[in-house]
Amino acid sequence: MKPAQIKTLFERFAAANPQPRTELEYNTPFELLIAVMLSAQATDVSVNKATRPLFAVANTPQALLDLGEDRLREAIRTIGLYKTKAKNIIATCRILIDQYGGEVPQTREALEALPGVGRKTANVVLNVAFGQDTIAVDTHIFRVANRLGLAPGKTPLEVETRLAKVIPPDYRLHAHHWLILHGRYVCKARKPECWRCSVADLCAFKPKTAAPQ
């Protein structure tokens, strides 16, 4: 995709949704961190259903430690991999208290050192909580970047690196959300809804899917 096309693509995304937001529900950087950790291989909807009652009783590192791993497992048991996630969350809470005064660190290196936090999770927290122009390449962004011809790559890191190079600076802060939402609701995995895609004329994907009769 040529630079002029990329600029047009993000201009359209920005015009349709000037201030995109994550669909995870949170009030603090810590709540966001926990929600993103829970969202691995789970939907935002399922995470929100679990975190609403959880955060009502425990939404700080100390409160979750006081809750304990057993009760945390029960609170998130509707989410996939809940046993492992509960273990990692408790371990992360201990580190946050011992090393960061209960606050969420604002560097990728510190975040990725937390149990259960990989590059994608760190990028989401840095972008959403701290306003850094990182791009968390999940399955949606990976698919969209390749289909569009925006940033083709064989691995999430390769796609992330290429996106960082081609996205115009003015659009980098929100690019993460525009691409995720586009992949989630329009450029779907099995049946992309090309007939209602605002950037179909810029897209390299063939054949385009037709509108249902």
Side-chain angles (χ1 to χ4, degrees):
M1 188 176 285
K2 297 178 180 179
Q5 292 176 305
I6 294 174
K7 186 173 185 293
T8 299
L9 181 146
F10 284 102
E11 285 175 345
R12 293 180 188 175
F13 284 157
N17 189 1
Q19 297 293 325
R21 289 178 52 84
T22 179
E23 294 184 326
L24 291 171
E25 297 174 1
Y26 74 99
N27 290 304
T28 66
F30 176 73
E31 287 186 359
L32 176 68
L33 173 63
I34 299 306
V36 180
M37 291 175 69
L38 291 173
S39 71
Q41 300 182 43
T43 66
D44 288 359
V45 171
S46 67
V47 172
N48 291 336
K49 286 181 179 178
T51 56
R52 284 174 201 144
L54 173 64
F55 290 159
V57 296
N59 68 340
T60 67
Q62 188 61 59
L64 278 177
L65 283 180
D66 293 342
L67 188 69
E69 188 174 332
D70 289 344
R71 291 172 65 190
L72 176 57
R73 278 202 303 265
E74 282 301 308
I76 63 172
R77 65 179 297 113
T78 55
I79 298 174
L81 306 175
Y82 72 95
K83 292 181 181 179
T84 299
K85 291 176 180 178
K87 181 179 179 180
N88 285 335
I89 287 171
I90 292 298
T92 287
C93 287
R94 289 196 182 98
I95 293 173
L96 292 180
I97 290 172
D98 292 343
Q99 298 183 21
Y100 302 102
E103 300 296 322
V104 177
Q106 299 186 33
T107 68
R108 183 195 308 282
E109 294 76 17
L111 286 167
E112 288 188 22
L114 299 172
V117 177
R119 185 178 183 88
K120 183 178 72 174
T121 296
N123 279 340
V124 173
V125 174
L126 292 173
N127 179 267
V128 177
F130 303 122
Q132 299 184 29
D133 59 2
T134 54
I135 300 173
V137 177
D138 67 350
T139 56
H140 295 301
I141 291 185
F142 186 81
R143 178 176 66 254
V144 169
N146 276 285
R147 275 186 181 168
L148 286 172
L150 173 63
K154 294 182 179 180
T155 66
L157 181 58
E158 190 175 345
V159 169
E160 179 188 334
T161 301
R162 291 186 176 181
L163 285 171
K165 291 179 180 178
V166 302
I167 296 173
D170 290 347
Y171 300 103
R172 285 178 190 159
L173 179 61
H174 294 312
H176 164 84
H177 286 117
W178 286 322
L179 293 172
I180 281 180
L181 294 172
H182 189 66
R184 184 173 290 167
Y185 296 111
V186 180
C187 194
K188 300 175 182 179
R190 294 185 179 180
K191 294 183 178 179
E193 298 181 4
C194 303
W195 67 89
R196 67 181 190 91
C197 175
S198 63
V199 296
D201 59 313
L202 305 172
C203 176
F205 178 68
K206 295 179 180 180
K208 299 288 195 299
T209 51
Q213 300 297 318

